Amino acid sequence: MRILGLTGGSGTGKSTVAKLLAARGAGWVDADAVYHSLCISCTPMLEALAAAFGDVRRPDGALDRPALAKIVFSDPAQLRRLNGITHRYIREASQEAFARLAAQGCPLALYDAPTLLESGLNSLCDAGVLGVLAPFGVRVRRIMERDGLTEQAARARVGAQPPDAFYRARCDYIIENSDGLEALRPLVDRFWASLPTG
C-alpha cells in the first residue's frame, strides 16, 4: 500500500478533497482524529504532557485541550515543546492505522494532516504530498461560515498559517479549490485518474 500525504491550511477545503478521494477508493487516516483519540486513551502521552505542562488533564484523565491551548498557542516555544512530545505518538498510531488498511487490501491511503510538512510526517508518504490551496478571502469566508468566527478572527487564523508559497515549494501535487464543490469534483477526478497506485 502506498501513502499519499494531504495537507493545506484552514479553509482550503482539505477535508472535502479527502472525502472525494475516499469516495473514489482511497483509504483515509486523519491525523487530527488520531490525536484526539490519543488525548483520551494514550496514558504515556498524557503523562508526558502533564509532566511538561502541569495540570492539563480533566478529572476523567483525558487531556483538557482548552487548558493546554491557553499555554501553547500564545508561546511558540511551548508549542514546539508540545509537538516534540505528541508527534511521536501520532506517528506510531498513524502507522498502526495504515497497517490495518494495508491488511484490508487498500492500495492507496491518504494521510490527512494540516501540519504534515512541519512535523516531518511527510516522510511516511511514499506516493508524494498533495497540497490543497484556496485564495485568502475564500478561506476567510469558509472559516467564518464553518466555525462562526468574526472576519477579524478568521483573518488572523489564516494569516498565522503558512502562505501558499510554502505548499507550492514542498508539495508534489496542488489542487486549487477556489470555486466550490462542483468545480472541485472534476479536479479531484483528474488527479485520481493520474495518480499511480501500484
Side-chain angles (χ1 to χ4, degrees):
M1 183 185 76
R2 302 186 72 208
I3 298 172
L4 174 71
L6 177 63
T7 193
S10 185
T12 59
K14 179 174 58 67
S15 294
T16 302
V17 170
K19 289 173 187 173
L20 291 170
L21 289 170
R24 286 152 179 78
W28 183 7
V29 175
D30 182 339
D32 280 346
V34 168
Y35 175 63
H36 292 169
S37 176
L38 293 172
C39 289
I40 296 169
S41 62
C42 182
T43 300
M45 186 184 85
L46 292 167
E47 289 177 348
L49 291 174
F53 299 106
D55 186 15
V56 290
R57 285 189 278 188
R58 302 188 316 230
D60 65 0
L63 182 67
D64 185 338
R65 293 175 60 225
L68 183 58
K70 288 179 183 176
I71 297 170
V72 303
F73 288 123
S74 59
D75 185 337
Q78 292 285 57
L79 182 58
R80 285 192 296 274
R81 190 179 187 193
L82 169 66
N83 290 337
I85 294 168
T86 59
H87 283 166
R88 174 169 69 91
Y89 295 99
I90 294 169
R91 185 186 187 96
E92 289 173 359
S94 297
Q95 288 176 308
E96 291 171 5
F98 288 128
R100 289 192 294 272
L101 287 171
Q104 295 166 13
C106 180
L108 179 77
L110 304 175
Y111 194 20
D112 176 358
T115 59
L116 181 79
L117 299 165
E118 299 93 321
S119 65
L121 291 170
N122 58 305
S123 63
L124 297 174
C125 303
D126 57 357
V129 176
L130 169 62
V132 183
L133 305 181
F136 188 95
V138 171
R139 293 174 62 190
V140 168
R141 187 186 75 243
R142 289 174 180 164
I143 293 170
M144 290 171 64
E145 293 171 355
R146 183 189 68 199
D147 298 340
L149 297 182
T150 65
E151 182 175 354
Q152 181 180 2
R155 285 183 171 275
R157 182 182 295 182
V158 174
Q161 295 178 347
D164 287 359
F166 173 85
Y167 297 102
R168 292 189 193 281
R170 293 166 176 81
C171 293
D172 303 286
Y173 314 99
I174 295 289
I175 285 181
E176 304 272 0
N177 179 25
S178 57
D179 296 320
L181 185 58
E182 291 312 308
L184 180 62
R185 288 183 195 277
L187 298 178
V188 172
D189 282 338
R190 284 197 293 273
F191 171 75
W192 181 251
S194 70
L195 191 64
T197 56

